[in-house]
Amino acid sequence: MITTKSGKANFLTEFTDGTHTGVCDAPESKGGGDAGFTPLGLLEASLAACLNMTLRVYAQAHDIELGSVETSATLTPGETGSTFEYSVKLPDTLSDRDRKRVLAALKGCPIHGLLNKPITFALKD
């Protein structure tokens, strides 16, 4: 569970899971101080980080020397739904066979799977 608290600045918000803390903020153009990631940026970061970790877990489990991996994700909101676009940069030293295997592992990303299903919201008392 993540808990948030309002900061002293206009929209600055601290969040914690009880062990780790971070901050998010609105950009200056929206009245914030641009002192942290935006909430949308945190959602994009969640997918990009999970994709990155999924690739590395798969490679490690299958003895594939992966080296450094770079993933990126962008969320584009739309009127009837939103679209996540993501990309992966793998080392050039990876064989074609291993490249295909590692990229197929992206389907196992837990955040990708979660966001690919309908989501409901429930306000708790």
Side-chain angles (χ1 to χ4, degrees):
M1 174 172 51
I2 299 292
T3 303
T4 66
K5 288 187 180 180
S6 300
K8 292 180 182 179
N10 203 17
F11 297 117
L12 185 64
T13 304
E14 182 179 287
F15 58 92
T16 183
D17 64 1
T19 303
H20 307 94
T21 61
V23 296
C24 63
D25 199 358
E28 290 178 0
S29 64
K30 301 286 186 181
D34 199 24
F37 289 97
T38 64
L40 181 64
L42 290 171
L43 189 56
E44 292 169 334
S46 180
L47 177 61
C50 190
L51 291 167
N52 193 301
M53 289 181 208
T54 298
L55 292 172
R56 293 171 24 224
V57 165
Y58 179 87
Q60 188 176 49
H62 293 87
D63 295 320
I64 298 171
E65 182 60 41
L66 192 54
S68 180
V69 175
E70 183 179 310
T71 57
S72 62
T74 303
L75 177 60
T76 305
E79 288 186 26
T80 60
S82 301
T83 302
F84 271 106
E85 291 182 334
Y86 57 91
S87 64
V88 178
K89 290 183 184 176
L90 298 171
D92 293 335
T93 56
L94 204 59
S95 71
D96 287 340
R97 178 180 179 266
D98 285 343
R99 182 177 302 277
K100 288 177 185 174
R101 291 171 60 202
V102 167
L103 290 175
L106 289 172
K107 294 177 184 173
C109 168
I111 298 296
H112 184 283
L114 178 73
L115 294 172
N116 202 33
K117 296 177 183 169
I119 297 174
T120 59
F121 297 87
L123 177 63
K124 291 171 46 175
D125 290 334

